[in-house]
Amino acid sequence: MVAAQIRFNRGSPAPMRSIIPFSIPGRFWRGNLHTHSQRSDGGLSPEAVVAAYRRSGYDFVQLSEHFLERFGWPITDTRALRSNAFTTLIGAELHAMATSVGELWHVLATGLPLDFAPPGAGESGPQLARRARDAGAFVAIAHPSWSQLIEADGMALDAAHAVEIYNHGSAVETDRGDGAYLLDRLCNRGRRLSAIAVDDAHFNYGERDAFGGFVEVKAASLDPEALLAALKAGHFYSSQGPRFHDIRISRDELVVETSPVDSVALLTGVSRAPYVVGADITRAVFDLAGAATLPTGPGAWFRIVAIDAARRRAWTNPIWIDELG
């Protein structure tokens, strides 16, 4: 294992401490925020979709139907499918014109009221997203690569809390599942966004577009309101399979503990990224007293990616240096 050398220039020494979400009480709950059923263009009933995620070991799921007139403006009420061991969130995939390539916006909204009104005449995608956020929703930019979104699109969608860093359905169908490029560009522009991995499963061809991307949300309970609050606060990480167990930091060292992976990288707003590579790594140590320097000052950020032998990834949210204390 090779330890990267990096300087974390943050003033006087401080004791090693875990960072959010590992430093807060609660437990991690595994869930998928982007899935479709027969209420829009999916292949299974809402009941069957929920049962599939519960059977696969998830703790919660959201049916995010396409909020379009041809489907009857669906926001699927899944409250009757909740139990003490599994819950659902209420939301939808919202649409309005027009992105930079002249296509429909795809905006994921979690925590919508069931009576959320359809888009008004002339209401744009960014305006619709603002209305969803004002109604209490956690708002995410869906499948940016599939939608061919550019930086200007991301900046226009100013109500977003998050970017889909990975969309499994888009990856399986068209090899356009990545959203990291847009997340990083927007962070460099000062947008403080989180990163979600999702399925966007439709179940039209079996389960090949399901169970490939999920969030691990840290909350005190499985209560939907607790999960929604944690999402808005950024108390989660995302994954295709690998797990983060802890991330600790001091002035001199950054320690990342994971399930067995082959590499751990520390990414910032520039292209070069310190990394640790090896076989079955479970503890990656970055020496923050070395010669290199992380970006400092307002707007400086980093995020961590862990990659296992099957090339499955886990992603932290961007970590803002001025919020570390």
Side-chain angles (χ1 to χ4, degrees), residues 14 24-25 27 35 94 99 128 140 184 186 192 208 252-253 296:
I24 60 176
R27 56 155 285 189
T35 308
L94 308 177
T99 68
L128 181 60
D184 290 351
L186 295 180
R192 302 207 172 196
R208 67 188 64 189
D252 299 319
E253 195 172 67
T296 59

Side-chain angles (χ1 to χ4, degrees), residues 233-292:
H235 296 170
F236 64 92
Y237 69 87
S238 294
S239 183
Q240 296 170 301
R243 297 297 204 273
F244 288 111
H245 296 315
D246 196 11
I247 300 174
R248 301 188 303 278
I249 195 167
S250 71
R251 181 170 182 255
D252 299 319
E253 195 172 67
L254 175 69
V255 177
V256 182
E257 295 183 355
T258 66
S259 58
V261 296
D262 278 10
S263 62
V264 179
L266 194 160
L267 291 88
T268 70
V270 299
S271 57
R272 293 188 179 274
Y275 61 90
V276 175
V277 63
D280 293 328
I281 298 166
T282 58
R283 187 175 186 269
V285 180
F286 293 87
D287 181 358
L288 306 183

Side-chain angles (χ1 to χ4, degrees), residues 154-263:
M155 292 301 293
L157 208 67
D158 55 10
H161 295 90
V163 173
E164 284 186 356
I165 198 167
Y166 178 70
N167 182 296
H168 188 59
S170 295
V172 167
E173 293 172 358
T174 63
D175 195 32
R176 286 182 170 175
D178 176 60
Y181 78 95
L182 185 63
L183 173 68
D184 290 351
R185 292 298 303 155
L186 295 180
C187 286
N188 282 347
R189 293 286 301 274
R191 294 286 303 280
R192 302 207 172 196
L193 296 161
S194 55
I196 60 171
V198 303
D199 276 345
D200 199 359
H202 288 70
F203 295 96
N204 287 316
Y205 307 97
E207 295 183 347
R208 67 188 64 189
D209 59 355
F211 319 127
F214 53 89
V215 289
E216 289 277 355
V217 180
K218 187 76 168 289
S221 74
L222 196 53
D223 180 78
E225 291 303 316
L227 295 174
L228 181 61
L231 286 167
K232 291 178 181 179
H235 296 170
F236 64 92
Y237 69 87
S238 294
S239 183
Q240 296 170 301
R243 297 297 204 273
F244 288 111
H245 296 315
D246 196 11
I247 300 174
R248 301 188 303 278
I249 195 167
S250 71
R251 181 170 182 255
D252 299 319
E253 195 172 67
L254 175 69
V255 177
V256 182
E257 295 183 355
T258 66
S259 58
V261 296
D262 278 10
S263 62

Side-chain angles (χ1 to χ4, degrees), residues 116-137:
F116 186 74
E123 188 174 21
S124 69
Q127 289 170 335
L128 181 60
R130 288 185 210 114
R131 182 158 63 84
R133 180 165 176 154
D134 289 344

Side-chain angles (χ1 to χ4, degrees), residues 3-147:
Q5 300 292 313
I6 189 164
R7 181 182 301 278
F8 192 77
N9 186 11
R10 290 197 305 111
S12 60
M16 180 72 71
R17 68 194 189 281
S18 295
I19 65 171
I20 291 173
F22 307 96
S23 62
I24 60 176
R27 56 155 285 189
F28 284 106
W29 307 94
R30 180 180 180 182
N32 176 41
L33 298 172
H34 193 163
T35 308
H36 299 274
S37 78
Q38 291 170 342
R39 290 292 312 281
S40 59
D41 60 347
L44 298 178
S45 68
E47 293 79 8
V49 172
V50 170
Y53 278 94
R54 183 169 185 174
R55 187 169 58 247
S56 297
Y58 283 64
D59 299 300
F60 67 93
V61 70
Q62 172 179 274
L63 296 187
S64 52
E65 309 297 355
H66 294 286
F67 195 59
L68 292 166
E69 184 176 15
R70 68 175 179 267
F71 298 122
W73 307 111
I75 298 178
T76 304
D77 187 354
T78 53
R79 291 175 295 178
L81 304 177
R82 295 171 178 171
S83 70
N84 290 334
F86 187 92
T87 198
T88 64
L89 300 179
I90 307 297
E93 186 173 358
L94 308 177
H95 304 284
M97 293 298 283
T99 68
S100 60
V101 294
E103 296 184 0
L104 278 172
W105 283 99
H106 291 245
V107 177
L108 187 67
T110 299
L112 284 176
L114 290 167
D115 61 354
F116 186 74
E123 188 174 21
S124 69
Q127 289 170 335
L128 181 60
R130 288 185 210 114
R131 182 158 63 84
R133 180 165 176 154
D134 289 344
F138 171 79
V139 175
I141 302 173
H143 43 62
S145 182
W146 186 90
S147 293

